[in-house]
Amino acid sequence: MSTTMPGFGTERITQLGLRDRVYDRVLEVLMGHDVEPGMRLSIDGLARSLGVSPTPVREALVQLERTGLVTREANKGYRVSPPLAGDQLEALFDARLIVESGAVELAARGDVDALRERLSAALDEQAAVAAEVASVGAAHAPEELMARFFRSDWQFHQLIFDATRNPFLEEMSEIITTRVHRMRQIVEGGGDDTDRAVHEHRAVVDALAVGPTEAVAAMRHHIDAVRLRSREDASHTS
């Protein structure tokens, strides 16, 4: 198992929004394909790569521990968490079904027109990336292209959480979505679901125009479909 930490390149972190930017960069590394379960994360090494002191890196890892992406071992530091499987995978999707159904229902009772406009713009971007993936095939798509798709998929769901204007739901969204997307990125042998995800997202946007009940039904259908695809992907690695 590799214990070599991937580099960040030459880009440095500026003081503006230091804590948030360090967190975002560490999360970006954890969501990459070259990060393996069990890999040790050196606070000092990350700090040198980012050109910052160890303090904001340590704070970022403490925050990321809450999402389950990293685990802390006494006197040993942090390691990348193992992937979810079996009962844990089912529990994640049970939580996602409850939280995201509630989020879309709450969002559907707000400014729906503005929300649909934002979601449609995000969906256009996601569809464009999905078309790029389809043109080369998911099995041959560059890591950067798949990372763009995952970010666009994540953004769609995040817009719904943001529309709830509920800070507790937004915090839950971070925990859930990071685990979902990290899980999907480290699974090998899974199929290409980019086009299906776009169609399911579009159904959510259309349902929002009808009402909260319809929006909830569309979101539940999407999450259940992703659950089934994730089970299939996980079976390829067992």
Side-chain angles (χ1 to χ4, degrees):
M1 181 178 294
S2 171
T3 58
T4 303
M5 190 160 48
F8 286 87
T10 58
E11 183 181 347
R12 297 280 169 160
I13 298 292
T14 65
Q15 285 298 122
L16 182 62
L18 178 65
R19 182 178 302 175
D20 289 342
R21 296 186 68 184
V22 169
Y23 174 88
D24 289 343
R25 293 294 300 283
V26 175
L27 177 59
E28 181 181 329
V29 168
L30 291 173
M31 300 297 281
H33 287 276
D34 53 354
V35 174
E36 299 179 6
M39 189 182 78
R40 189 173 68 85
L41 298 168
S42 166
I43 292 176
D44 290 338
L46 287 167
R48 284 193 299 271
S49 297
L50 295 173
V52 298
S53 72
T55 299
V57 174
R58 186 176 294 105
E59 292 173 345
L61 290 173
V62 169
Q63 189 174 354
L64 285 163
E65 186 178 7
R66 297 205 316 270
T67 72
L69 288 179
V70 301
T71 55
R72 184 179 181 276
E73 299 176 340
N75 302 319
K76 293 183 179 180
Y78 290 92
R79 290 187 181 274
V80 178
S81 298
L84 296 179
D87 290 344
Q88 284 188 320
L89 181 64
E90 296 301 325
L92 173 64
F93 277 98
D94 287 344
R96 189 176 178 191
L97 199 64
I98 293 169
V99 174
E100 295 205 50
S101 294
V104 77
E105 181 177 15
L106 189 58
R109 300 185 186 282
D111 189 344
V112 174
D113 290 339
L115 175 58
R116 293 186 70 242
E117 184 176 348
R118 291 192 295 270
L119 290 174
S120 294
L123 191 55
D124 287 345
E125 180 180 348
Q126 186 182 16
V129 179
E132 290 186 56
V133 174
S135 69
V136 298
H140 304 289
E143 178 181 326
E144 184 276 334
L145 179 58
M146 293 308 299
R148 282 170 53 202
F149 179 80
F150 286 127
R151 285 196 297 271
S152 66
D153 186 276
W154 190 349
Q155 176 65 13
F156 181 90
H157 289 270
Q158 190 60 54
L159 285 170
I160 293 174
F161 279 105
D162 291 345
T164 68
R165 300 186 181 278
N166 185 313
F168 300 104
L169 280 172
E170 291 182 40
E171 184 175 356
M172 291 178 191
S173 78
E174 179 184 22
I175 295 172
I176 291 173
T177 54
T178 51
R179 294 304 293 269
V180 169
H181 288 284
R182 175 61 182 153
M183 171 197 70
R184 294 175 69 191
Q185 285 180 279
I186 63 179
V187 166
E188 296 178 357
D192 174 16
D193 72 340
T194 55
D195 187 61
R196 282 173 289 180
V198 169
H199 283 291
E200 289 161 14
H201 283 177
R202 197 176 305 281
V204 172
V205 176
D206 292 341
L208 279 165
V210 182
T213 300
E214 291 75 13
V216 169
M219 180 61 76
R220 291 181 67 89
H221 172 78
H222 170 49
I223 295 172
D224 281 336
V226 177
R227 185 202 295 259
L228 291 175
R229 294 195 289 269
S230 297
R231 286 176 184 165
E232 293 175 0
D233 289 348
S235 70
H236 285 91
T237 62
S238 59

